[in-house]
Amino acid sequence: MFENLMSYEIYEGHPLGDYLSIEFLAGIAGSIVGALVLLLIGMIISGWVGRRIRAIGLRYESLDDTLFNFLANIARYAVLAFTLLIVLNTFGIQTTSIVAVIGAAGLAIGLALQGTLSNIAAGVMIILFRPFKIGDFVEVSGKMGTVKDISLNYTELADLSNVQVIVPNSQVWGNIITNYSTNDTRRAEWTFGVSYGANLKIAEDVIRKTILSDPRALTDPEPFIQVNNLGDFSVDFLVRVWVKSSDFFAFSTDMKRAVKEALDEANVEIPFPTRTLINAAE
């Protein structure tokens, strides 16, 4: 009975005994060892390629690290995929049909994950065209904060309260992006009102001296300080001063208080709305 079982044909005229022979098992073992060696070599090469591409981005400050991290991952997975195809060929597996099946499955998965794929496509566009980079202070999709990470699916921000904000890339690339860190300088702007009875020359000198006494204020371009509006209760000075982008927020808030205190010290009245009530019975 055992001899009959060993002589039973199971595939293309080959009996079971052929597949249990020492030669066949040794060949299988050799193929497995060879496949493991190929996989190990592929993993080593893919890791080396990824590190080399990342090193290029780190070597030159003008190159974006995010872009080279993305390219490194693409190259790494491409080497691993090529290695896997070679391993399958060592076992006599036709990779052409496998690629076709993967393509069909990829199409079905792509249709089911349109939202995710749109995020990935937008992530690729962000990484390639670099409207902002990690560390920039931006406003995207109505959210304002410092960019902490840019991945293929989402952009991570830390808002003004240092709260993590995750914005899908499709909402980033498809909306207006305001990058406050691109330019080295920004223009701060205020409107300061004084009463109609105030000496405008004194008021202007006080405002100018107060702002320019702060070392954060830039003198080139020259600050703009002029009467801009005659309101119902006040004469309004429009003030525009250039500062470094990193100083903008602190400088803008500090000057509001400093100018108010300086005007008070110079006895320049800062008006506020008043209303006269008439007694109808009189």
Side-chain angles (χ1 to χ4, degrees):
M1 179 178 179
F2 180 74
E3 293 180 354
N4 292 335
L5 180 63
M6 296 298 290
S7 61
Y8 181 75
E9 295 182 1
I10 59 174
Y11 181 69
E12 292 185 353
H14 294 281
L16 178 61
D18 290 348
Y19 293 100
L20 296 180
S21 64
I22 298 298
E23 293 80 3
F24 178 78
L25 294 177
I28 290 293
S31 298
I32 293 175
V33 172
L36 293 175
V37 171
L38 288 174
L39 283 175
L40 180 61
I41 294 174
M43 293 175 65
I44 293 174
I45 294 176
S46 65
W48 179 83
V49 170
R51 288 192 298 271
R52 294 299 299 172
I53 294 177
R54 288 189 180 93
I56 296 174
L58 295 174
R59 187 180 307 164
Y60 304 99
E61 294 183 358
S62 59
L63 299 179
D64 189 0
D65 294 342
T66 305
L67 174 60
F68 279 83
N69 286 336
F70 171 71
L71 294 177
N73 288 330
I74 294 294
R76 177 171 174 269
Y77 288 122
V79 173
L80 289 176
F82 184 72
T83 303
L84 183 60
L85 291 178
I86 295 177
V87 169
L88 293 176
N89 278 325
T90 61
F91 289 98
I93 300 175
Q94 296 296 324
T95 56
T96 304
S97 58
I98 294 178
V99 172
V101 171
I102 292 176
L107 178 61
I109 295 173
L111 293 175
L113 300 175
Q114 293 183 24
T116 301
L117 291 178
S118 66
N119 286 332
I120 294 175
V124 172
M125 299 298 288
I126 292 172
I127 291 172
L128 290 178
F129 290 96
R130 296 179 293 173
F132 52 79
K133 61 183 182 296
I134 294 176
D136 285 354
F137 187 80
V138 301
E139 182 177 358
V140 293
S141 192
K143 301 297 181 180
M144 181 181 293
T146 302
V147 180
K148 293 297 183 181
D149 187 28
I150 305 171
S151 69
L152 286 178
N153 290 305
Y154 62 84
T155 297
E156 179 185 343
L157 305 178
D159 68 6
L160 296 175
S161 300
N162 200 31
V163 176
Q164 183 187 52
V165 179
I166 303 297
V167 185
N169 283 334
S170 59
Q171 297 184 23
V172 175
W173 187 252
N175 288 280
I176 295 175
I177 300 173
T178 304
N179 191 336
Y180 296 98
S181 301
T182 300
N183 299 320
D184 295 331
T185 58
R186 291 183 61 184
R187 190 181 68 185
E189 182 174 311
W190 311 268
T191 298
F192 297 113
V194 299
S195 68
Y196 273 90
N199 187 313
L200 298 183
K201 181 66 170 63
I202 294 177
E204 180 180 342
D205 290 342
V206 169
I207 294 173
R208 185 181 301 274
K209 180 180 178 181
T210 302
I211 290 179
L212 293 182
S213 64
D214 192 303
R216 293 173 294 182
L218 301 178
T219 56
D220 185 19
E222 184 180 353
F224 176 89
I225 304 174
Q226 296 289 341
V227 172
N228 182 60
N229 181 53
L230 300 177
D232 293 335
F233 303 98
S234 64
V235 178
D236 298 329
F237 282 90
L238 177 62
V239 181
R240 292 170 174 168
V241 181
W242 289 88
V243 296
K244 292 182 179 179
S245 297
S246 57
D247 296 332
F248 177 81
F249 289 104
F251 180 76
S252 296
T253 54
D254 290 347
M255 286 302 98
K256 292 177 182 178
R257 176 170 181 171
V259 170
K260 197 274 182 189
E261 292 177 345
L263 291 174
D264 288 344
E265 186 176 349
N267 295 320
V268 177
E269 183 181 357
I270 301 176
F272 51 88
T274 59
R275 180 175 300 172
T276 301
L277 299 178
I278 300 176
N279 191 345
E282 294 181 354

